Amino acid sequence: AQSVTQLGSHVSVSEGALVLLRCNYSSSVPPYLFWYVQYPNQGLQLLLKYTTGATLVKGINGFEAEFKKSETSFHLTKPSAHMSDAAEYFCAVSESPNAGNMLTFGGGTRLMVKP
Amino acid sequence: DAGITQSPRHKVTETGTPVTLRCHQTENHRYMYWYRQDPGHGLRLIHYSYGVKDTDKGEVSDGYSVSRSKTEDFLLTLESATSSQTSVYFCAISESSSGGPYLPEQFFGPGTRLTVL
């Protein structure tokens, strides 16, 4: 069975500071990994994904994540936080490929950006 | 944005009443899902569908049923709502491929906020 752990349910950074949101997963097979972002009162939006190939993945809004198999991690980073980055972020894992494209989500990390 | 709508967007109901939430897609995607979102739990899968009339249970299916009579519509029913079913419900869709590379991601609707008093 696969699982996802997001360390820190709340993360606070200053505007312009580095954003680092942590995600560790467990999977018995090579995983597909995802980060989603949820703005207040909205649905989830795909930020980036790792399937195969390059382990450093770039997404929208300046975010990127690196798949590290040895550490079973897929941490999300952004060099400089903007106020508009304040949202909740979800990491998800999928066994690749699988019937039904099933995803397992982490508990989420709420990012707060201070002016 | 993926063409996914959910209705109603907000609903307040009383314990013991039946409730049906609707998810409608215009993408002709094969897979559809219902999740509930609660603080600290992320998203938990309630039911999903592989196609018309083809559904299966997810992690938290007790108290919920689903139906899919058309590709574009996926209904979630709470036969007798309870206060523990107060939550935000999200529909999602996915398609393995569209003649190209494998596409494992899911796309989400805007959500329905349900309050059971």
Side-chain angles (χ1 to χ4, degrees), chain A residues 15-64:
Chain A
E15 191 173 20
L18 171 72
V19 175
L20 171 61
L21 305 183
R22 300 178 185 274
C23 173
N24 288 88
Y25 70 91
S26 67
S27 176
S28 57
V29 299
Y32 287 172
L33 295 158
F34 309 82
W35 276 99
Y36 284 86
V37 59
Q38 183 182 31
Y39 299 103
N41 299 314
Q42 295 186 24
L44 279 69
Q45 177 184 359
L46 183 65
L47 202 54
L48 50 78
K49 66 179 179 182
Y50 168 78
T51 54
T52 58
T55 56
L56 182 62
V57 179
K58 295 186 185 299
I60 61 173
N61 302 336
F63 284 92
E64 63 182 33

Side-chain angles (χ1 to χ4, degrees), chain B residues 4-8 20-24 31-37 43-49 56-61 64-68 73-78 88-93 106 108-109 111-112:
Chain B
I4 311 168
T5 56
Q6 294 185 231
S7 58
T20 295
L21 308 183
R22 179 182 184 236
C23 177
H24 179 78
Y31 304 119
M32 298 185 76
Y33 316 82
W34 277 108
Y35 292 90
R36 60 177 291 172
Q37 182 180 26
L43 274 77
R44 293 181 290 175
L45 183 65
I46 305 171
H47 281 280
Y48 58 100
S49 171
D56 207 346
K57 296 179 180 180
E59 176 189 357
V60 290
S61 60
Y64 302 94
S65 62
V66 291
S67 65
R68 191 171 179 196
D73 289 327
F74 192 32
L75 304 181
L76 176 70
T77 298
L78 291 65
V88 181
Y89 291 86
F90 287 99
C91 174
I93 65 174
Q106 296 181 12
F108 286 80
T112 294

Side-chain angles (χ1 to χ4, degrees), chain B residues 17-32:
Chain B
T17 60
V19 176
T20 295
L21 308 183
R22 179 182 184 236
C23 177
H24 179 78
Q25 61 146 328
T26 59
E27 306 295 323
N28 201 36
H29 280 11
R30 176 182 177 187
Y31 304 119
M32 298 185 76

Side-chain angles (χ1 to χ4, degrees), chain A residues 81-92:
Chain A
H82 293 173
M83 297 297 292
S84 60
D85 295 326
E88 189 154 22
Y89 293 79
F90 293 93
C91 182

Side-chain angles (χ1 to χ4, degrees), chain A residues 13-17 80-84 113-115:
Chain A
V13 301
S14 298
E15 191 173 20
S80 177
H82 293 173
M83 297 297 292
S84 60
V113 182
K114 299 175 291 186

